[in-house]
Amino acid sequence: GENVEQHPSTLSVQEGDSAVIKCTYSDSASNYFPWYKQELGKRPQLIIDIRSNVGEKKDQRIAVTLNKTAKHFSLHITETQPEDSAVYFCAAGLSGNTPLVFGKGTRLSVIA
Amino acid sequence: NAGVTQTPKFQVLKTGQSMTLQCAQDMNHNSMYWYRQDPGMGLRLIYYSASEGTTDKGEVPNGYNVSRLNKREFSLRLESAAPSQTSVYFCASSATENTGELFFGEGSRLTVL
């Protein structure tokens, strides 16, 4: 089955700097790659996703890149703000088949 | 629009006791899921229901049972709770299986003594 590795497990950045979180997946058939943000004590919420027919997707300060050949995808947050502090989860899966498999999460701290 | 509602939010059990976590969604979603979240372990799938009338095991199903009562409701039962089942449990739903956004409930924090 699918296996998703996520790095780093913790990340501290200065406010205004960029943050990058990387994930690798094992099943080359996977074609859907979402990212979820979980603030302290809250539920995970989708912030961005990408499908395998696209190499990059942006939404304001966040972007996701996908390299299907290398089987890895990354989350990029630019101009970080204190409200970006949270745990971020990547996930991978195959549409219409088995459910998503999540990475173990990255705790991002943005230091003002 | 409530989204995904799960109860209870907090529960303390003694080893060997049983309990059921309830989950309901009002978005007319076909697929529903139960995850557990432990520190450093991410979100691990316990059971899921791709559509009404079907249920399947996820990554960590041992010690749990589920019931898809109807399209709206998906319950998780612990028949004989163990300390290893101390965790935060999240119910989630999606319009179709694995093709779109997962909507999570607020979570249920379970402690087994």
Coordinates of all heavy atoms in Angstrom, one line a residue, chain B residues 57-102:
Chain B
K57 N -11.8 -1.9 6.4 CA -10.8 -1.6 7.4 C -9.7 -0.7 6.8 O -9.4 -0.7 5.6 CB -10.1 -2.9 7.8 CG -10.9 -3.9 8.5 CD -10.2 -5.2 8.8 CE -11.1 -6.2 9.6 NZ -10.4 -7.5 9.8
G58 N -9.2 0.1 7.7 CA -8.1 1.0 7.4 C -6.8 0.5 7.9 O -6.6 -0.8 8.0
E59 N -5.9 1.3 8.3 CA -4.6 1.0 8.7 C -4.6 0.3 10.1 O -3.8 -0.6 10.4 CB -3.7 2.2 8.7 CG -2.2 2.0 9.1 CD -1.5 3.3 9.2 OE1 -2.0 4.3 8.8 OE2 -0.3 3.2 9.7
V60 N -5.4 0.8 11.0 CA -5.4 0.4 12.4 C -6.7 0.0 12.9 O -7.3 0.6 13.8 CB -4.7 1.5 13.3 CG1 -3.2 1.6 13.1 CG2 -5.4 2.8 13.1
P61 N -7.4 -1.1 12.4 CA -8.7 -1.4 12.8 C -8.9 -2.3 14.0 O -10.0 -2.4 14.6 CB -9.2 -2.3 11.6 CG -7.9 -3.0 11.1 CD -6.8 -2.0 11.4
N62 N -7.8 -2.9 14.5 CA -7.9 -3.8 15.7 C -8.5 -3.1 16.9 O -8.0 -2.1 17.3 CB -6.6 -4.5 16.0 CG -6.2 -5.4 14.9 OD1 -6.9 -5.8 14.0 ND2 -4.9 -5.8 14.9
G63 N -9.5 -3.8 17.5 CA -10.1 -3.2 18.7 C -11.3 -2.3 18.5 O -11.9 -1.8 19.4
Y64 N -11.6 -2.1 17.2 CA -12.7 -1.2 16.8 C -13.7 -1.9 15.9 O -13.4 -2.8 15.2 CB -12.2 0.0 16.1 CG -11.1 0.8 16.8 CD1 -9.8 0.5 16.5 CD2 -11.5 1.8 17.7 CE1 -8.8 1.2 17.1 CE2 -10.5 2.5 18.3 CZ -9.1 2.2 18.0 OH -8.1 3.0 18.7
N65 N -15.0 -1.4 16.0 CA -16.0 -1.8 15.0 C -16.7 -0.6 14.6 O -16.8 0.4 15.3 CB -17.0 -2.8 15.6 CG -16.4 -4.2 15.8 OD1 -16.0 -4.8 14.8 ND2 -16.3 -4.7 17.0
V66 N -17.3 -0.6 13.4 CA -18.1 0.5 12.9 C -19.4 0.1 12.4 O -19.7 -1.1 12.0 CB -17.3 1.2 11.8 CG1 -16.0 1.9 12.3 CG2 -17.0 0.3 10.6
S67 N -20.3 1.1 12.3 CA -21.6 0.9 11.7 C -21.9 2.1 10.9 O -21.9 3.3 11.4 CB -22.7 0.7 12.8 OG -22.5 -0.5 13.5
R68 N -22.3 1.9 9.6 CA -22.8 3.0 8.8 C -24.3 2.9 8.8 O -25.0 2.1 8.1 CB -22.3 2.9 7.3 CG -22.8 4.0 6.4 CD -22.0 5.3 6.7 NE -22.4 6.4 5.9 CZ -21.9 6.7 4.7 NH1 -20.9 6.0 4.2 NH2 -22.3 7.8 4.1
L69 N -24.9 3.6 9.8 CA -26.3 3.5 10.1 C -27.2 4.0 8.9 O -28.2 3.4 8.7 CB -26.6 4.3 11.3 CG -25.7 4.0 12.6 CD1 -25.8 5.0 13.7 CD2 -26.0 2.6 13.1
N70 N -26.8 5.0 8.3 CA -27.5 5.5 7.1 C -26.5 6.4 6.4 O -25.3 6.5 6.8 CB -28.8 6.3 7.5 CG -28.5 7.2 8.6 OD1 -27.6 8.1 8.5 ND2 -29.2 7.1 9.7
K71 N -26.9 7.2 5.4 CA -26.0 8.0 4.7 C -25.4 9.1 5.6 O -24.2 9.5 5.4 CB -26.7 8.7 3.5 CG -25.7 9.3 2.5 CD -26.4 9.8 1.3 CE -25.3 10.3 0.3 NZ -26.0 10.8 -1.0
R72 N -26.1 9.5 6.6 CA -25.6 10.6 7.4 C -24.7 10.2 8.5 O -23.8 10.9 9.0 CB -26.8 11.4 8.0 CG -27.7 12.2 7.1 CD -28.7 12.9 7.9 NE -28.1 13.9 8.8 CZ -28.1 13.8 10.1 NH1 -28.6 12.8 10.8 NH2 -27.5 14.8 10.9
E73 N -24.9 9.0 9.1 CA -24.3 8.6 10.3 C -23.3 7.4 10.2 O -23.6 6.4 9.5 CB -25.4 8.3 11.3 CG -26.3 9.4 11.6 CD -27.5 9.0 12.5 OE1 -28.4 8.3 12.0 OE2 -27.5 9.4 13.7
F74 N -22.2 7.6 10.9 CA -21.1 6.5 10.9 C -20.6 6.5 12.3 O -19.9 7.4 12.8 CB -20.1 6.9 9.9 CG -19.0 5.9 9.6 CD1 -19.3 4.6 9.5 CD2 -17.7 6.3 9.4 CE1 -18.3 3.6 9.2 CE2 -16.7 5.4 9.1 CZ -17.0 4.0 9.0
S75 N -20.8 5.4 13.0 CA -20.4 5.3 14.4 C -19.2 4.4 14.6 O -19.0 3.4 13.8 CB -21.5 4.8 15.3 OG -21.9 3.5 14.9
L76 N -18.4 4.6 15.6 CA -17.2 3.8 15.9 C -17.4 3.3 17.3 O -17.6 4.0 18.3 CB -16.0 4.7 15.9 CG -14.6 4.1 16.2 CD1 -14.2 3.1 15.1 CD2 -13.5 5.2 16.5
R77 N -17.2 2.0 17.5 CA -17.4 1.3 18.8 C -16.1 0.7 19.3 O -15.4 0.0 18.5 CB -18.5 0.3 18.7 CG -18.8 -0.4 20.1 CD -20.2 -1.0 20.1 NE -20.4 -1.7 21.4 CZ -20.8 -1.0 22.5 NH1 -21.1 0.3 22.4 NH2 -21.0 -1.7 23.6
L78 N -15.8 0.9 20.5 CA -14.8 0.3 21.2 C -15.4 -0.8 22.2 O -16.1 -0.4 23.1 CB -13.9 1.2 22.1 CG -13.0 2.2 21.3 CD1 -13.7 3.2 20.5 CD2 -12.0 2.8 22.3
E79 N -15.2 -2.0 21.9 CA -15.9 -3.1 22.7 C -15.3 -3.3 24.0 O -16.0 -3.5 25.0 CB -15.9 -4.4 21.9 CG -16.8 -4.4 20.7 CD -18.3 -4.3 21.0 OE1 -18.7 -4.5 22.2 OE2 -19.1 -4.2 20.0
S80 N -14.0 -3.2 24.1 CA -13.3 -3.4 25.4 C -12.1 -2.5 25.4 O -11.0 -2.9 24.8 CB -12.9 -4.9 25.5 OG -12.2 -5.1 26.7
A81 N -12.3 -1.3 25.9 CA -11.2 -0.3 25.7 C -9.9 -0.7 26.4 O -9.9 -1.3 27.5 CB -11.7 1.0 26.3
A82 N -8.8 -0.3 25.8 CA -7.5 -0.5 26.3 C -6.7 0.8 26.3 O -7.0 1.7 25.6 CB -6.7 -1.5 25.4
P83 N -5.7 0.9 27.2 CA -5.0 2.2 27.3 C -4.4 2.6 26.0 O -4.2 3.8 25.7 CB -3.9 1.9 28.4 CG -4.6 0.9 29.3 CD -5.4 0.0 28.3
S84 N -4.0 1.6 25.1 CA -3.5 2.0 23.8 C -4.4 2.7 22.9 O -4.1 3.2 21.9 CB -3.0 0.7 23.1 OG -4.1 -0.2 22.9
Q85 N -5.7 2.7 23.3 CA -6.7 3.4 22.5 C -6.9 4.8 23.0 O -7.8 5.5 22.4 CB -8.0 2.6 22.5 CG -7.9 1.3 21.8 CD -9.2 0.5 21.9 OE1 -9.7 0.2 22.9 NE2 -9.7 0.0 20.7
T86 N -6.2 5.3 23.9 CA -6.2 6.7 24.3 C -5.7 7.5 23.1 O -4.6 7.3 22.6 CB -5.2 6.9 25.5 OG1 -5.8 6.2 26.7 CG2 -5.1 8.4 25.8
S87 N -6.5 8.4 22.7 CA -6.2 9.1 21.5 C -7.2 10.2 21.2 O -8.2 10.4 22.0 CB -6.2 8.1 20.3 OG -5.7 8.8 19.1
V88 N -7.0 11.0 20.2 CA -8.0 11.9 19.7 C -8.6 11.3 18.4 O -7.8 10.9 17.5 CB -7.4 13.3 19.4 CG1 -8.5 14.2 18.8 CG2 -6.9 13.9 20.6
Y89 N -9.9 11.2 18.4 CA -10.5 10.5 17.2 C -11.2 11.6 16.4 O -12.0 12.4 16.9 CB -11.5 9.5 17.7 CG -10.9 8.3 18.4 CD1 -10.5 8.3 19.7 CD2 -10.6 7.2 17.6 CE1 -9.9 7.3 20.3 CE2 -10.0 6.1 18.2 CZ -9.6 6.1 19.6 OH -9.0 5.1 20.2
F90 N -11.0 11.5 15.1 CA -11.7 12.4 14.2 C -12.5 11.6 13.2 O -12.1 10.6 12.6 CB -10.6 13.2 13.3 CG -10.0 14.3 14.1 CD1 -8.7 14.1 14.7 CD2 -10.6 15.5 14.3 CE1 -8.1 15.1 15.4 CE2 -10.0 16.5 15.0 CZ -8.7 16.3 15.5
C91 N -13.7 12.1 13.0 CA -14.6 11.6 12.0 C -14.5 12.6 10.8 O -14.2 13.8 11.0 CB -16.1 11.5 12.4 SG -17.2 11.1 11.2
A92 N -14.6 12.1 9.6 CA -14.5 12.9 8.4 C -15.4 12.4 7.3 O -15.8 11.2 7.3 CB -13.1 13.0 7.9
S93 N -15.8 13.3 6.4 CA -16.6 12.8 5.3 C -16.1 13.5 4.0 O -15.4 14.5 4.0 CB -18.1 13.2 5.5 OG -18.3 14.6 5.4
S94 N -16.4 12.9 2.9 CA -16.1 13.5 1.6 C -17.2 13.1 0.6 O -17.9 12.1 0.8 CB -14.7 13.0 1.0 OG -14.8 11.6 0.8
A95 N -17.3 14.0 -0.4 CA -18.4 13.8 -1.4 C -18.3 12.4 -2.1 O -19.3 11.7 -2.2 CB -18.5 14.9 -2.4
T96 N -17.1 12.1 -2.5 CA -16.9 10.8 -3.1 C -15.6 10.3 -2.5 O -14.8 11.1 -1.9 CB -16.8 10.9 -4.6 OG1 -15.8 11.8 -5.0 CG2 -18.1 11.2 -5.2
E97 N -15.3 9.0 -2.7 CA -14.1 8.5 -2.1 C -12.9 9.0 -2.7 O -12.6 8.8 -3.9 CB -14.1 6.9 -2.2 CG -13.0 6.3 -1.5 CD -13.0 4.8 -1.7 OE1 -13.9 4.3 -2.4 OE2 -12.1 4.1 -1.1
N98 N -12.1 9.7 -1.9 CA -10.7 10.1 -2.2 C -10.6 11.0 -3.5 O -9.6 10.9 -4.2 CB -9.9 8.8 -2.4 CG -8.4 9.2 -2.4 OD1 -8.0 10.1 -1.7 ND2 -7.6 8.5 -3.1
T99 N -11.7 11.7 -3.8 CA -11.6 12.5 -5.0 C -11.7 14.0 -4.6 O -11.7 14.9 -5.5 CB -12.7 12.2 -6.0 OG1 -13.9 12.4 -5.4 CG2 -12.5 10.8 -6.6
G100 N -11.8 14.3 -3.4 CA -12.0 15.7 -3.0 C -11.7 15.9 -1.5 O -11.2 15.1 -0.8
E101 N -12.1 17.1 -1.1 CA -11.8 17.5 0.3 C -12.5 16.7 1.3 O -13.6 16.3 1.2 CB -12.3 19.0 0.4 CG -12.0 19.6 1.7 CD -12.4 21.1 1.8 OE1 -12.9 21.6 0.7 OE2 -12.3 21.7 2.8
L102 N -11.7 16.4 2.3 CA -12.1 15.7 3.5 C -12.6 16.8 4.5 O -11.9 17.8 4.8 CB -11.0 14.9 4.2 CG -10.7 13.5 3.7 CD1 -9.5 13.0 4.4 CD2 -11.9 12.6 3.7

